[in-house]
């Protein structure tokens, strides 16, 4: 029963953070939403940052799965497309982390360290995929161009929701689809002709 309550608190917190923005949600709001006492909530979590850290652990585990690249073969265009889908779906499900990233990390040193480590893993994964696409002949680019594209992919993916919000986009799901296409467009100039046509077909269907 206690485990069920703990999970309900995490699920409700995630939903409220995503909809209302983490800075606008207090532990009292979460307790009211679940119709439990604040004392019951504090039995399971010390404070709001404790809740955020537990949500981050779930997010981190899922992101690590999404960042896994093929190990028994060189990657292809479909691999990076699928990987971006998994990454952006994770970003969507935990979008409060990205929307309120600076504020959350500025007050929580442990999360700042953990997020930095996750970014390092994502950076290593992006560089490995870009190198693999180069080795497979899918992309024609120098080592420096592949490395720069990998970094640009990570920057765009990490801050895309902030950019979309600053631009005034109202539909975050649509914004995330556009984010995936935007990332793929970073790769497009280096693709072979056949792969570029394939990418154009994918992106046209995706944003229509």
């Amino acid at each position: 029963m206690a485990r069920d309550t703990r999970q309900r608190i995490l699920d409700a917190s995630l939903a409220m953070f995503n909809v209302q923005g983490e800075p606008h949600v207090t532990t009292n709001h979460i307790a009211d939403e679940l119709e439990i006492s604040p004392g019951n909530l504090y039995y399971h979590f010390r404070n709001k940052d404790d809740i955020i850290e537990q949500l981050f652990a779930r997010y981190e585990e899922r992101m690590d799965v999404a960042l896994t690249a093929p190990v028994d073969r060189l990657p292809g265009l479909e691999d990076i497309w699928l990987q971006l889908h998994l990454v952006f779906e994770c970003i969507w499900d935990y979008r409060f982390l990205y929307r309120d990233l600076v504020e959350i990390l500025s007050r929580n040193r442990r999360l700042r360290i953990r997020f930095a480590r996750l970014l390092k893993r994502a950076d290593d994964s992006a560089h490995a995929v870009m190198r693999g696409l180069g080795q497979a002949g899918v992309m024609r680019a120098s080592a420096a161009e592949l490395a720069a594209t990998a970094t640009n992919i990570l920057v765009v993916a990490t801050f895309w929701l902030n950019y979309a919000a600053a631009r005034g986009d109202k539909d975050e799901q649509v914004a995330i689809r556009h984010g995936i296409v935007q990332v793929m467009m970073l790769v497009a100039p280096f693709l072979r002709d056949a792969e570029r046509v394939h990418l154009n077909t994918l992106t046209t269907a995706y944003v229509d």
Side-chain angles (χ1 to χ4, degrees):
M1 189 67 177
R3 181 176 176 81
D4 290 343
T5 301
R6 182 180 175 85
Q7 288 304 119
R8 285 179 62 226
I9 292 170
L10 288 174
D11 292 342
S13 298
L14 178 59
M16 293 175 74
F17 290 162
N18 280 341
V19 171
Q20 301 175 36
E22 180 274 331
H24 303 295
V25 178
T26 67
T27 49
N28 283 341
H29 292 146
I30 298 167
D32 287 345
E33 177 71 16
L34 291 170
E35 298 182 342
I36 62 175
S37 69
N40 193 353
L41 186 147
Y42 288 125
Y43 173 79
H44 297 279
F45 299 98
R46 297 186 305 276
N47 48 43
K48 189 169 74 165
D49 274 355
D50 190 16
I51 294 173
I52 292 171
E53 286 187 35
Q54 295 304 313
L55 288 174
F56 186 87
R58 298 199 322 194
Y59 151 82
E60 189 175 27
E61 182 178 339
R62 186 166 154 192
M63 189 62 83
D64 278 336
V65 172
L67 292 172
T68 303
V71 293
D72 55 346
R73 58 178 173 78
L74 291 172
L77 195 62
E78 295 288 348
D79 292 309
I80 188 172
W81 187 262
L82 174 59
Q83 191 174 55
L84 282 173
H85 269 271
L86 295 175
V87 166
F88 271 92
E89 282 174 4
C90 186
I91 289 173
W92 167 254
D93 288 342
Y94 292 87
R95 56 195 177 277
F96 82 93
L97 284 171
Y98 288 82
R99 192 195 299 126
D100 305 312
L101 183 64
V102 174
E103 178 158 349
I104 291 170
L105 297 186
S106 68
R107 70 167 190 260
N108 191 318
R109 182 176 177 275
R110 287 191 302 274
L111 271 191
R112 192 160 64 247
I113 292 171
R114 289 171 67 181
F115 195 82
R117 288 173 179 163
L118 180 63
L119 280 180
K120 176 65 168 60
R121 294 198 296 276
D123 189 56
D124 290 343
S125 175
H127 278 76
V129 169
M130 289 298 103
R131 287 195 301 270
L133 290 173
Q135 291 167 12
V138 174
M139 293 176 65
R140 295 194 190 98
S142 67
E145 288 169 335
L146 290 171
T149 302
T151 298
N152 289 341
I153 285 172
L154 188 59
V155 171
V156 171
T158 302
F159 294 104
W160 183 258
L161 276 185
N162 303 70
Y163 168 73
R167 196 172 60 176
D169 292 357
K170 301 300 183 185
D171 191 329
E172 285 183 319
Q173 262 187 310
V174 172
I176 280 185
R177 287 210 308 274
H178 289 164
I180 294 174
V181 172
Q182 190 69 29
V183 168
M184 293 304 292
M185 287 299 103
L186 294 171
V187 176
F190 304 108
L191 294 176
R192 298 178 307 188
D193 291 343
E195 297 291 352
R196 190 178 296 192
V197 170
H198 182 39
L199 175 60
N200 184 63
T201 302
L202 288 172
T203 55
T204 300
Y206 199 66
V207 295
D208 284 350

